[in-house]
Amino acid sequence: MNLNKTVFSPRKIIKQLASLKLAVITISMIAILTAIGTFVEARYDATAAQKLVYQSIWMELVMGIFAINLTAVIVDRYPWKQRHLAFICAHVGILVVLFGQYLSNNYGLDGSVRVGVGESNNFAVIPGKIDLTVYSSFDGSSYTKLLAREVDFFLSPPTSNKPVIIPTDQGEIRLTEYQKYVVPSRKVVASDQVRAGAGLRFQMHNDKVNVVEWLVQRNPNHVATHDFGPAQIHLGPVPSEGSGKNEIYLFPDESLSGKIRYAVFKKENKLAALSGVVEEGGTVTPGWMGLELRILRYFPRAVETWELKPKDRPTPLTTGAVKVEFQKQEHWLLLNDTLKLFTEKAAYIVTYASRREDLGFPIKLDKFIMDRYQGTMRAASYRSQVTVPEVGAVEISMNEPLKYKGLTIYQASFEDSPQGEPVASVFSVNRDPGRVLKYLGSLIMTLGIILLFYFRKKAQVAKKNEVQG
Amino acid sequence: MRLLIAGMMVLTMGISLNWAAAEESPTKANSGSFLPGIWSAPVGEALRGLPVQDAGRIKPFDSFARELLEMIYGKTTLEGKPAYEVVLTWLLSPQAWQGKELFEVRNHEVLKGLGLDPERRYFKGEEIFSNERFSTLRQELQEKRESKEKLTPYFQSLGRLENQFYMFTEMASGRLLKLVPEAASAQGVAGSWVGVDRLEGETQAAFMVLSRKFIERIGVMAQKGSHEDLLRASEELDLAVKEFKRKARESSPNLYPSDGLADLEVHYNLFHPFRWSYIFYLLAAFLLLFVWITDKGRLMPGVWALFGIGFLLHIYGFGLRVYLAGRAPVSNMYETVVWVSFGSVLFAAILEMIYRFKFILLAGLCVGIFGMVVAGSAPAILDPSLQPLEPVLRSNYWLTIHVMTITISYAAFFLAMMLGDMALFYTIRGEEANREKLKALTLAIYRAKQIGVSFLAPGIILGGIWADYSWGRFWGWDPKETWALIVLLGYIAVLHGRMVGWIRDFGMAVSAVLTFSLVIMAWYGVNFVLGAGLHSYGFGAGGIEYVAAFVFLHFLFVVYTVLVRRARAQLQSQTKT
């Protein structure tokens, strides 16, 4: 008697854990938490909702209690009788589904693959995982990996008080700030980095065309090109022969202190038709189509940086950015972008990007087919004809995925050019170890609900017979 | 063609101005017998069935004109004149419309931005579009669009205004009215039909005849000509329409549709099966109320008969819509409202047949009437037009099943809410005096909730299977699916509470009313308030104030009942002591 009254009796603990009060509270908590999640998603985006609510510790806690509650309720009914069958099925079903979802979340793969028309790709981008990677080089050509680690700056951003520090031979690379939502625009500024190339802003115009653009060299030997169809403008070393097009080469010659050497090629002749020296504000008349080239701005050494406009909420144009400090200089590094840092002796590459996972085989997009509603540009359906090794040519369309090597490849969306022509197909690639359990659980649960009605009917009939008898 | 149209315009101006000034609808006055107006277009109105290519499908001119007038003027008739007549005169004599207050603007902020009187709702084209501020506002809209931020109601309203302007200009120029399939070699979007501005040869000539006959007919109507004159003009117009269709079909026999489908859609537009259906529900509800109050049980067959006619008309309307659209009618808010109304009356009828409480059917009819009236009276928010589906939703069998299953569960919960309202009403009237009624109501509420849960749970699972099948993920916390889950959790919590006796009869009524707010959030709120997630193909705007008032009034009703009950209990305990 006494033993049964102690708090530690397993039967009693299970009774407590199986209590309906706990069940109702947990159910309500799940409802409230997820409701908050939907509001977060409406105000921010799906990523914010995932990070702040659905994948948060609170959600895991409540789900954990829910699972314990369900288990306890089943154990509490032991020894099970036939009349418990419906009840047990319904609750076991939920448990199995929950476990399946747990497996999918923790051991599954959920990525997307973008393949341009006629191109192939064997990497899937995993949007939920972001890596910070640093490479170093002392000769400028071969790089070694210094660091690679998963970071979550959304939840734990670096600050100037708590920076992320990457030690290198040339001093620390420090990440000191993170911005969740910024709209970036490119900006070219003068630099004193020795390995920086030149930067130049030009205007090309006649009575029909007017183009204003920046050209920036990655390094003094790089050729930066702007192509506008009938002609090309290059910033970089002048070759001895042209490539048979209308081209202008602009070359920053250090001996000319702030002036630029130029050479004009015509498509008829491989040798330069015209050459000379021009400075900021000056013009070159190449002699094709009445075009005139004007040098608007010129930096002998220039780097491209980002100008960032912070926003309160995400839009399709915003991205995340992290501030990198190195050798007393500040740089902004955007998500899925690369930053190069130079010193006299070494070069470093820092990337902050979504993880890419090798599928182990390439997907080649042979053709993207889009059907439209008559007389409009609205898509009615779309499908991709792809080639995958060993499988050969197959078609992937909405609701008709390709299953290969344990992966399922779905038609997710597409990208189109400003003219509305599709240029790339986007697939979602997925491996779901919990799938079987989720279907099984659903089946058991549904069975439970059906049995519930069946047994109730039986009980009613029995009751009726008793009354009549 | 341009020149010819211009000539026609001059010819038309005088007449159509008269026509525009004539007050009463000539159609109603002269349409002759009642039946032809319902089953097919009456004499003189064959124009309604003329096939037009618009927004990705072929539709009758009647539907095209209704949607266009709705978009620009906010209604499907203008001063009693049918849309198809109004819209055709935009093409034939746009000048006649210059002085007319045709453009509906509802947003006060937009009106202030344009420097117009915010108390007015309809404006002349020149007041808005020749206004210098309009181009400033357009610029503003353009910048907002480029920033890719969500459009606020103000910008949505600006967007509509821009669209109104564009559509009117396109219609007036004839580019919008695409009447003939394009010959194979022509340029432009593939499969696009030719607008009347580019008609050539025989079809052009036939269209000119058609236009002239149309003008003659409205001329006769405006001058209140004799019945014989009107009949002759009408028959000539019908003949011209027929001739035009013949020429168009000859020019591309494979692409031009047969008359059947377009005529059927005209019938759907003119007949309004859903309106007739709720009229019969209303009659049934009144008779039922009478039966209930006077206790004349022998009139019940009459109630069932009226209900049955309404229900058959409801099914008939669905059937037409499914046939015309070639898909299940659950792809937008309008269609789900009609579907939920259907579910409510169906469940109510089944429960009524089992329990014979009378009020179950009454509650079902109330939900049905309420839903159908709302669906029929707010076309700006609940768009009744037939639109092509987004790619994800096409040719997917699971989609239809999961949406239908989930929304039908909302019907059961709606029914439970209405029964809950009744129970609260009887609670206020006196719990002791209405003990029997309240017991019966509680049972009905319980059943309705059970029906709802047993449709919602499989519906959510089916949604998961569908998502897994097409996107490769069973569950992704998308707001629509999350809110469906929240509804399920809410009702499951209530049913569990009932099982252990926490929730008694009064609690069942209160929870039936309160938990329905979760359904409103899942059904309406996600699409119209949150506006986020993968189910974006059903998103819309408007009506928030009414829905919020609906929810708020129900909360007040619950609070009031609780207070009344508490006061009564206090009074009782005082009299005892």
Side-chain angles (χ1 to χ4, degrees):
Chain A
M1 266 325 250
N2 250 347
L3 205 72
N4 272 348
K5 274 191 178 172
T6 55
V7 195
F8 300 107
S9 147
R11 195 83 225 190
K12 210 155 185 193
I13 292 173
I14 284 173
K15 265 259 169 321
Q16 288 286 321
L17 290 175
S19 87
L20 203 75
K21 195 180 268 181
L22 183 64
V24 172
I25 291 171
T26 326
I27 290 172
S28 311
M29 285 305 294
I30 297 173
I32 291 168
L33 266 178
T34 53
I36 293 172
T38 63
F39 281 98
V40 171
E41 174 159 350
R43 181 156 177 86
Y44 298 97
D45 58 2
T47 316
Q50 288 285 345
K51 297 252 181 215
L52 297 173
V53 183
Y54 302 127
Q55 291 170 2
S56 71
I57 182 80
W58 302 109
M59 195 70 192
E60 277 175 21
L61 198 71
V62 173
M63 283 304 203
I65 296 172
F66 189 49
I68 292 168
N69 186 228
L70 283 167
T71 317
V73 137
I74 297 160
V75 173
D76 184 48
R77 296 292 191 281
Y78 189 83
W80 301 313
K81 305 221 171 65
Q82 202 206 348
R83 66 191 161 87
H84 288 140
L85 190 60
F87 170 89
I88 287 169
C89 275
H91 290 80
V92 166
I94 302 172
L95 263 179
V96 173
V97 172
L98 284 181
F99 186 61
Q101 187 67 21
Y102 173 81
L103 286 184
S104 313
N105 283 350
N106 290 283
Y107 304 101
L109 173 99
D110 194 358
S112 70
V113 183
R114 177 198 176 277
V115 193
V117 176
E119 293 167 11
S120 79
N121 189 356
N122 58 339
F123 284 99
V125 175
I126 317 296
K129 296 197 166 106
I130 296 175
D131 292 320
L132 178 71
T133 324
V134 182
Y135 301 88
S136 70
S137 169
F138 293 97
D139 54 9
S141 59
S142 66
Y143 281 84
T144 48
K145 201 184 270 183
L146 269 190
L147 168 116
R149 76 164 193 238
E150 191 179 339
V151 288
D152 187 351
F153 289 158
F154 188 93
L155 286 181
S156 45
T159 60
S160 48
N161 291 330
K162 254 180 70 184
V164 171
I165 296 172
I166 304 141
T168 73
D169 298 343
Q170 308 290 314
E172 289 175 340
I173 297 174
R174 297 161 68 90
L175 311 187
T176 54
E177 196 186 332
Y178 176 71
Q179 292 273 358
K180 276 180 204 155
Y181 310 121
V182 290
V183 179
S185 51
R186 278 151 95 73
K187 198 174 78 173
V188 180
V189 293
S191 158
D192 49 11
Q193 283 188 18
V194 272
R195 296 194 195 183
L200 176 144
R201 188 171 160 84
F202 68 88
Q203 180 188 31
M204 189 78 168
H205 72 109
N206 61 13
D207 45 1
K208 288 190 194 98
V209 187
N210 187 13
V211 181
V212 176
E213 278 293 337
W214 273 104
L215 282 174
V216 181
Q217 287 177 293
R218 282 205 289 272
N219 57 56
N221 293 320
H222 169 242
V223 180
T225 300
H226 181 82
D227 187 346
F228 46 95
Q232 291 181 331
I233 301 185
H234 309 279
L235 178 66
V238 185
S240 53
E241 283 189 354
S243 56
K245 291 175 191 149
N246 289 331
E247 338 176 65
I248 302 179
Y249 275 89
L250 297 159
F251 181 58
D253 193 333
E254 292 195 35
S255 59
L256 291 171
S257 66
K259 288 186 182 164
I260 314 156
R261 190 186 295 283
Y262 71 84
V264 178
F265 295 88
K266 291 188 178 174
K267 61 180 171 203
E268 301 85 38
N269 201 334
K270 294 212 159 178
L271 295 174
L274 207 63
S275 63
V277 172
V278 64
E279 60 188 334
E280 199 175 275
T283 58
V284 177
T285 313
W288 356 282
M289 295 166 281
L291 283 163
E292 190 183 59
L293 175 83
R294 182 184 297 275
I295 311 295
L296 298 175
R297 199 88 182 84
Y298 171 62
F299 300 126
R301 295 202 191 288
V303 283
E304 277 186 286
T305 63
W306 294 106
E307 194 167 41
L308 305 179
K309 211 191 275 170
K311 295 266 172 193
D312 296 335
R313 302 193 212 180
T315 72
L317 298 180
T318 59
T319 182
V322 59
K323 194 200 263 181
V324 181
E325 290 183 16
F326 182 61
Q327 301 215 327
K328 292 185 182 138
Q329 291 215 337
E330 288 179 355
H331 314 266
W332 281 100
L333 172 59
L334 302 186
L335 179 62
N336 294 328
D337 198 16
T338 301
L339 177 69
K340 283 187 180 172
L341 300 168
F342 300 101
T343 66
E344 297 281 351
K345 289 180 187 147
Y348 299 94
I349 295 177
V350 188
T351 67
Y352 171 62
S354 295
R355 182 170 303 166
R356 279 152 41 97
E357 213 151 294
D358 194 347
L359 299 174
F361 58 89
I363 301 170
K364 181 169 180 293
L365 179 62
D366 301 317
K367 202 173 173 196
F368 185 80
I369 302 158
M370 189 147 111
D371 303 319
R372 300 176 198 267
Y373 283 110
Q374 51 173 292
T376 67
M377 294 297 280
R378 277 181 69 177
S381 68
Y382 43 90
R383 51 196 198 273
S384 302
Q385 287 178 350
V386 300
T387 306
V388 172
E390 291 175 38
V391 180
V394 275
E395 187 172 281
I396 301 177
S397 65
M398 214 147 248
N399 305 324
E400 294 298 333
L402 166 70
K403 290 195 171 83
Y404 182 58
K405 287 198 173 170
L407 295 170
T408 318
I409 301 158
Y410 300 86
Q411 177 73 63
S413 59
F414 61 91
E415 284 172 18
D416 51 9
S417 66
Q419 288 75 40
E421 284 309 307
V423 292
S425 183
V426 181
F427 303 98
S428 82
V429 176
N430 144 322
R431 184 175 54 234
D432 189 354
R435 178 171 288 137
V436 177
L437 285 182
K438 282 184 272 190
Y439 279 88
L440 186 70
S442 302
L443 201 67
I444 297 174
M445 185 162 63
T446 313
L447 197 69
I449 293 171
I450 293 168
L451 285 174
L452 210 64
F453 282 100
Y454 173 72
F455 280 121
R456 180 164 296 158
K457 195 84 204 160
K458 222 171 139 185
Q460 277 173 358
V461 171
K463 214 173 179 182
K464 224 180 222 172
N465 288 345
E466 222 168 75
V467 171
Q468 282 170 352
Chain B
M1 188 67 194
R2 293 244 50 122
L3 265 175
L4 281 170
I5 286 189
M8 191 71 72
M9 283 168 185
V10 177
L11 200 139
T12 336
M13 278 221 356
I15 300 173
S16 56
L17 274 172
N18 271 335
W19 169 84
E23 265 173 28
E24 201 194 349
S25 163
T27 324
K28 269 183 206 156
N30 296 299
S31 60
S33 71
F34 173 71
L35 273 177
I38 285 178
W39 295 112
S40 61
V43 179
E45 298 185 14
L47 199 49
R48 287 183 191 263
L50 187 66
V52 181
Q53 188 190 47
D54 175 51
R57 73 178 186 106
I58 308 295
K59 54 180 80 162
F61 183 56
D62 187 59
S63 298
F64 166 82
R66 277 168 196 261
E67 287 165 28
L68 189 57
L69 187 60
E70 165 73 50
M71 203 222 141
I72 288 174
Y73 185 64
K75 291 181 194 162
T76 50
T77 57
L78 191 149
E79 289 165 4
K81 292 181 188 61
Y84 84 97
E85 284 183 15
V86 176
V87 165
L88 196 55
T89 57
W90 293 350
L91 170 71
L92 299 178
S93 88
Q95 294 91 329
W97 288 94
Q98 267 174 4
K100 293 288 269 181
E101 292 179 352
L102 181 65
F103 295 91
E104 185 200 40
V105 188
R106 289 176 170 216
N107 191 298
H108 285 198
E109 226 183 310
V110 169
L111 287 174
K112 267 182 221 150
L114 289 167
L116 295 169
D117 179 7
E119 295 311 311
R120 281 171 61 200
R121 214 165 113 184
Y122 300 99
F123 298 88
K124 295 174 195 162
E126 62 196 25
E127 283 181 285
I128 302 170
F129 309 118
S130 322
N131 191 331
E132 250 176 52
R133 296 192 193 184
F134 179 60
S135 38
T136 322
L137 294 189
R138 263 177 107 166
Q139 198 92 38
E140 221 178 287
L141 177 65
Q142 187 57 29
E143 278 163 24
K144 188 74 179 176
R145 280 191 181 135
E146 272 164 18
S147 79
K148 305 244 171 132
E149 284 166 25
K150 267 186 215 162
L151 296 185
T152 58
Y154 166 74
F155 283 107
Q156 283 171 3
S157 183
L158 261 186
R160 181 185 169 210
L161 198 58
E162 197 177 50
N163 235 344
Q164 284 168 309
F165 175 59
Y166 173 76
M167 293 299 245
F168 182 81
T169 329
E170 287 294 291
M171 184 62 210
S173 73
R175 283 189 291 271
L176 194 63
L177 189 62
K178 294 175 178 165
L179 294 180
V180 180
E182 180 106 68
S185 61
Q187 83 283 45
V189 180
S192 183
W193 283 23
V194 185
V196 290
D197 60 321
R198 291 201 293 128
L199 288 181
E200 280 168 1
E202 288 192 323
T203 48
Q204 183 193 26
F207 187 73
M208 295 313 299
V209 175
L210 188 157
S211 307
R212 200 162 55 236
K213 293 296 169 196
F214 172 75
I215 291 159
E216 278 172 22
R217 181 167 180 268
I218 60 172
V220 173
M221 290 193 296
Q223 287 148 13
K224 302 226 189 300
S226 68
H227 188 73
E228 287 73 36
D229 285 349
L230 182 60
L231 193 66
R232 189 184 40 78
S234 297
E235 278 166 357
E236 281 178 14
L237 175 58
D238 285 358
L239 212 65
V241 171
K242 207 170 162 190
E243 184 61 15
F244 178 82
K245 287 201 277 194
R246 200 172 64 81
K247 294 286 181 213
R249 191 168 291 127
E250 267 173 16
S251 78
S252 28
N254 298 327
L255 296 170
Y256 204 73
S258 63
D259 290 343
L261 215 57
D263 286 345
L264 195 65
E265 191 168 335
V266 172
H267 159 61
Y268 175 80
N269 290 344
L270 291 176
F271 180 47
H272 293 294
F274 294 135
R275 186 184 295 164
W276 283 109
S277 145
Y278 76 67
I279 288 172
F280 277 96
Y281 288 157
L282 204 62
L283 293 175
F286 277 126
L287 188 59
L288 183 53
L289 207 59
F290 177 74
V291 170
W292 203 19
I293 291 165
T294 59
D295 221 7
K296 288 203 166 89
R298 62 196 160 78
L299 287 178
M300 268 317 271
V303 174
W304 282 108
L306 287 171
F307 162 79
I309 295 170
F311 194 65
L312 286 177
L313 285 164
H314 206 150
I315 293 175
Y316 178 62
F318 263 134
L320 276 180
R321 241 190 124 89
V322 170
Y323 185 70
L324 290 171
R327 58 175 161 81
V330 284
S331 74
N332 69 11
M333 204 63 194
Y334 171 83
E335 291 179 343
T336 56
V337 171
V338 176
W339 172 244
V340 164
S341 305
F342 177 80
S344 292
V345 292
L346 177 66
F347 290 144
I350 292 170
L351 288 175
E352 181 63 45
M353 281 180 202
I354 297 170
Y355 294 109
R356 310 258 166 209
F357 290 153
K358 294 192 182 77
F359 58 77
I360 303 184
L361 190 60
L362 185 61
L365 286 170
C366 286
V367 173
I369 294 160
F370 178 76
M372 303 283 269
V373 169
V374 167
S377 58
I381 302 163
L382 305 174
D383 177 14
S385 65
L386 289 159
Q387 297 295 344
L389 286 179
E390 295 293 318
V392 233
L393 304 186
R394 271 173 54 112
S395 67
N396 193 314
Y397 157 85
W398 288 114
L399 160 93
T400 317
I401 310 249
H402 105 274
V403 177
M404 289 179 104
T405 321
I406 289 180
T407 41
I408 207 80
S409 78
Y410 297 167
F413 295 136
F414 209 156
L415 180 64
M417 187 219 74
M418 195 54 89
L419 291 164
D421 276 342
M422 289 181 174
L424 292 182
F425 173 74
Y426 278 109
T427 309
I428 293 171
R429 292 271 304 264
E431 271 173 278
E432 291 300 318
N434 297 297
R435 185 173 294 274
E436 283 304 305
K437 285 204 171 90
L438 283 171
K439 272 273 167 259
L441 274 165
T442 308
L443 178 65
I445 291 171
Y446 200 4
R447 288 290 171 267
K449 285 178 182 170
Q450 281 174 322
I451 292 174
V453 167
S454 41
F455 275 100
L456 185 53
I460 291 174
I461 293 173
L462 286 172
I465 291 173
W466 175 62
D468 188 35
Y469 183 63
S470 10
W471 294 322
R473 88 225 193 324
F474 197 83
W475 190 263
W477 296 114
D478 174 74
K480 196 83 182 167
E481 67 191 30
T482 305
W483 270 101
L485 179 71
I486 294 169
V487 171
L488 182 65
L489 292 172
Y491 282 95
I492 280 186
V494 168
L495 291 183
H496 277 78
R498 172 74 182 179
M499 252 187 277
V500 287
W502 289 349
I503 294 178
R504 291 168 186 281
D505 293 0
F506 180 63
M508 283 302 270
V510 168
S511 64
V513 174
L514 292 187
T515 325
F516 191 68
S517 358
L518 299 179
V519 175
I520 289 180
M521 191 62 204
W523 185 17
Y524 169 88
V526 173
N527 297 32
F528 286 69
V529 182
L530 291 182
L534 290 164
H535 289 75
S536 57
Y537 27 77
F539 285 178
I544 289 178
E545 58 277 20
Y546 300 102
V547 177
F550 180 88
V551 173
F552 182 69
L553 286 176
H554 274 98
F555 271 86
L556 274 188
F557 189 34
V558 168
V559 170
Y560 176 71
T561 319
V562 170
L563 290 178
V564 166
R565 233 172 144 248
R566 191 170 289 169
R568 206 175 277 152
Q570 263 173 10
L571 208 69
Q572 262 176 6
S573 61
Q574 273 168 13
T575 44
K576 265 181 200 165
T577 53

